[in-house]
Amino acid sequence: MEDKWKDIIGQNKEKFQQEFTLPNGHEDRFMSKLKEQNKQQQKVQINYWKVAAIFIPIAMLATYFFLEFSPTTNETLENDRILAAYSPDLNEAENHFSYIVQQKIEEVKALETPDNRLFIDHSMTSLNELQKDYNRLLIDLKESGGNAQVVRSILQNLQFQVELLENVLTQIESIQNLKTKQNETI
């Protein structure tokens, strides 16, 4: 429809100009303003749906590949093989401590509230440092060829992880009990 009107006006331009007299340069000024307006509209037109449609799948794929091919998972499997190579008892002890640590982590996360979130985050940072030390000890064990002192250090590190999580749980429960008592007295 728009093209038909454009054609009609274009064919009858001289008739319109004879009927309606316009000031000199009016058409040029109008066309320049129209061009400026079209440029501004072209700059502003960003289709956010298209950007989101591209960005979301890319983010999902990146997350999938990061989680699927994370080097920490491969390191853990390799470390399990290191312990099993030196002693089945050591491997069993490590599995036992790892299971306890995982249970305690789940308990801590279940007790997380906005009030104790900072304390839990700090505790998890400490736990991550112990885990890094544990991984370094495993490398030392591999390099030392099964040194008994390194084996004791590995077991001690695992005990520290369990103790840290038990202390965190005890402190969280103490804080909750204290708040409950304060609320009861109020």
Side-chain angles (χ1 to χ4, degrees):
M1 183 73 173
E2 190 175 310
D3 291 334
K4 288 182 183 179
W5 284 110
K6 195 174 187 179
D7 292 339
I8 291 171
I9 291 173
Q11 291 171 356
N12 298 315
K13 187 175 183 179
E14 291 176 15
K15 290 181 185 177
F16 287 128
Q17 285 178 348
Q18 289 172 359
E19 254 183 74
F20 304 104
T21 54
L22 297 174
N24 289 340
H26 175 76
E27 185 177 354
D28 294 333
R29 288 191 306 270
F30 178 77
M31 293 305 278
S32 67
K33 287 181 183 179
L34 187 62
K35 286 179 183 178
E36 286 177 28
Q37 188 178 15
N38 284 340
K39 286 180 184 177
Q40 289 175 355
Q41 285 179 353
Q42 288 176 353
K43 290 179 184 175
V44 174
Q45 289 180 345
I46 297 174
N47 195 341
Y48 294 103
W49 289 106
K50 289 180 182 177
V51 173
I54 293 169
F55 178 72
I56 290 173
I58 290 173
M60 289 173 61
L61 284 171
T63 303
Y64 168 76
F65 283 111
F66 176 75
L67 293 175
E68 186 67 28
F69 301 110
S70 176
T72 56
T73 307
N74 294 337
E75 285 177 9
T76 305
L77 292 174
E78 184 178 314
N79 291 343
D80 287 345
R81 285 186 229 125
I82 291 171
L83 291 173
Y86 290 106
S87 168
D89 293 334
L90 179 61
N91 190 35
E92 186 177 325
E94 192 270 342
N95 287 337
H96 176 72
F97 280 120
S98 294
Y99 177 73
I100 292 172
V101 167
Q102 278 306 117
Q103 280 186 323
K104 299 292 182 187
I105 289 173
E106 289 173 11
E107 288 179 39
V108 167
K109 288 184 179 181
L111 294 174
E112 185 175 347
T113 63
D115 295 334
N116 65 12
R117 181 171 291 136
L118 185 61
F119 173 68
I120 290 175
D121 288 344
H122 178 69
S123 301
M124 289 299 145
T125 303
S126 299
L127 183 67
N128 286 338
E129 289 300 318
L130 283 172
Q131 186 63 38
K132 287 178 186 176
D133 291 342
Y134 172 77
N135 290 335
R136 282 188 220 119
L137 286 169
L138 289 175
I139 292 169
D140 289 346
L141 178 68
K142 189 176 181 180
E143 290 174 357
S144 71
N147 186 339
Q149 188 175 3
V150 177
V151 170
R152 280 192 297 273
S153 297
I154 288 172
L155 292 175
Q156 206 171 27
N157 181 284
L158 291 169
Q159 287 174 337
F160 287 152
Q161 290 181 32
V162 171
E163 289 173 9
L164 172 74
L165 290 168
E166 286 175 350
N167 289 337
V168 169
L169 286 170
T170 303
Q171 288 179 3
I172 290 172
E173 289 173 3
S174 297
I175 292 169
Q176 287 178 342
N177 289 338
L178 182 64
K179 285 186 179 184
T180 304
K181 287 180 183 177
Q182 286 178 349
N183 289 339
E184 288 175 359
T185 58
I186 293 176

